[in-house]
């Protein structure tokens, strides 16, 4: 799979470890930065990976900040994005099964690298179930259409 990754300054090391982990599984990972530990603003990086997912440049995304929350909020402002902040694999699995999430977010200050790998595996290896869940996801996207400017 072609996967995009982005992060703020809190998560450079975690991003690099997860990138290498995904590549060892045969995935192609596009890094949208940052690669610097200098303080930076998470919305800038969230927007980059969200645009890459929304445009189809990558199939799914991973966005990491200190908590996973700020960057998920930023990603969700891009049309077509369903980004979920997850701290354990169950939520990551169901974000795919039921919500058809296209970006998973986590917090480098919240979880360790082994948990990040488990969340990543759950997110990348689970497909959307469709059916009644499609109707609900369609309703989410209708909210976006009704309330967000083009
Ligand atoms: C940076 O200090 C921190 O606020 C950021 O990484 C993130 O946790 C925001 O939600």
């Amino acid at each position: 799979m072609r996967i995009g990754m982005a992060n703020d300054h809190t998560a450079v090391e975690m991003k690099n470890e997860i990138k290498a982990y995904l590549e060892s599984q045969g995935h192609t990972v596009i890094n949208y930065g940052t690669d610097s530990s200098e303080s930076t603003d998470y919305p800038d990086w969230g927007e980059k990976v969200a645009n890459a997912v929304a445009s189809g440049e990558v199939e799914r995304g991973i966005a990491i900040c200190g908590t996973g929350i700020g960057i998920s909020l930023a990603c969700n402002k891009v049309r077509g994005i369903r980004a979920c902040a997850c701290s354990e694999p169950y939520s990551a699995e169901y974000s795919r099964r039921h919500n058809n999430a296209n970006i998973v977010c986590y917090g480098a200050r919240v979880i360790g690298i082994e948990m990040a790998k488990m969340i990543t595996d759950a997110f990348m290896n689970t497909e959307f179930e469709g059916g009644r869940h499609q109707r609900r996801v369609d309703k989410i996207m209708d909210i976006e259409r009704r309330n967000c400017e083009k």
Side-chain angles (χ1 to χ4, degrees):
M1 195 186 299
R2 216 172 138 80
I3 298 165
M5 290 191 77
N7 57 282
D8 73 3
H9 55 283
T10 67
V12 176
E13 194 180 325
M14 181 171 276
K15 186 265 303 292
N16 287 334
E17 288 193 51
I18 295 298
K19 181 175 183 289
Y21 179 64
L22 287 166
E23 286 169 344
S24 77
Q25 295 174 350
H27 295 291
T28 299
V29 180
I30 313 296
N31 173 21
Y32 294 96
T34 183
D35 292 313
S36 165
S37 56
E38 207 169 296
S39 184
T40 186
D41 299 333
Y42 57 81
D44 299 338
W45 309 102
E47 185 178 12
K48 283 182 200 293
V49 69
N51 276 328
V53 172
S55 71
E57 195 174 303
V58 294
E59 210 173 312
R60 284 182 212 168
I62 299 175
I64 321 173
C65 65
T67 59
I69 294 171
I71 206 161
S72 71
L73 294 174
C75 289
N76 277 314
K77 295 300 179 189
V78 173
R79 193 172 279 271
I81 293 303
R82 291 173 299 279
C84 297
C86 297
S87 295
E88 33 67 35
Y90 181 87
S91 300
E93 178 181 333
Y94 277 83
S95 78
R96 291 285 312 133
R97 274 183 189 272
H98 286 188
N99 313 119
N100 201 11
N102 44 20
I103 298 184
V104 68
C105 305
Y106 36 80
R109 291 174 173 165
V110 178
I111 59 168
I113 188 65
E114 294 308 320
M115 183 60 79
K117 286 179 184 174
M118 289 169 72
I119 292 168
T120 301
D121 285 340
F123 189 77
M124 296 306 163
N125 299 329
T126 305
E127 291 309 312
F128 179 48
E129 285 178 8
R132 68 185 187 282
H133 303 294
Q134 184 65 62
R135 182 180 71 243
R136 293 162 186 168
V137 171
D138 287 346
K139 287 191 175 187
I140 296 173
M141 303 325 282
D142 284 345
I143 294 171
E144 183 175 87
R145 266 188 292 278
R146 284 198 302 272
N147 293 280
C148 301
E149 289 172 23
K150 190 92 184 101

